[in-house]
Amino acid sequence: LQKILILLHVTMCVAVGKTLLILFPRTMKRYILKQGEKSRMNENPKFSYENWGPTFFSFNYLLFVLKVKWKRLEDEAYEGHPAPNTPVVTFNGEVRHLFDFMQDNRPLILNFGSCT
């Protein structure tokens, strides 16, 4: 049921976005660029709107957003419940699952960070 609701919501958003992009291309370009400022993707001069802007509200965009949102349904964690067995990528590029790293009765510690 959740996947159907997500499908309907994302499909409606993409249809409305695509319609607005066709009817008001300059306004939508400004809007999309304004959204890009929040993620700072506009700061890269080699990453111009013409390269990625037209992909917004495309069929591939729809499929990608659905895939991400559906995958997040599986990865939700709730206090007091077991942790989800989330897929992770090793330094070698191998896809494993979180529980693959557990050993005996030892706690599993996850450390998240960023290097820029």
Side-chain angles (χ1 to χ4, degrees), residues 83 88 91 97-113:
V88 292
F91 287 116
H97 284 83
L98 193 60
F99 296 166
D100 295 342
F101 298 97
M102 293 183 71
Q103 297 177 3
D104 300 324
N105 235 3
R106 295 172 52 193
L108 179 64
I109 298 174
L110 302 176
N111 184 10
F112 297 94

Side-chain angles (χ1 to χ4, degrees), residues 25-106:
R26 286 181 291 197
T27 304
M28 286 302 288
K29 179 180 178 178
R30 282 195 311 269
Y31 173 76
I32 291 170
L33 287 172
K34 191 72 170 169
Q35 295 302 312
E37 288 175 8
K38 293 178 183 177
S39 66
R40 298 173 49 177
M41 69 182 174
N42 296 349
E43 293 178 10
N44 185 347
K46 295 181 182 176
F47 195 58
S48 69
Y49 175 83
E50 287 69 26
N51 292 337
W52 55 267
T55 65
F56 270 71
F57 310 117
S58 66
F59 184 69
N60 286 337
Y61 175 86
L62 170 72
L63 295 179
F64 176 76
V65 173
L66 285 175
K67 180 181 173 183
V68 169
K69 288 188 173 281
W70 285 347
K71 187 66 184 153
R72 286 186 180 166
L73 286 175
E74 301 169 11
D75 294 340
E76 290 186 21
Y78 301 97
E79 186 176 341
H81 291 85
N85 193 16
T86 305
V88 292
V89 179
T90 66
F91 287 116
N92 301 334
E94 179 185 355
V95 177
R96 308 262 310 268
H97 284 83
L98 193 60
F99 296 166
D100 295 342
F101 298 97
M102 293 183 71
Q103 297 177 3
D104 300 324
N105 235 3
R106 295 172 52 193

Side-chain angles (χ1 to χ4, degrees), residues 18-30:
K18 187 67 167 181
T19 303
L20 291 172
L21 194 59
I22 291 168
L23 295 175
F24 310 103
R26 286 181 291 197
T27 304
M28 286 302 288
K29 179 180 178 178
R30 282 195 311 269

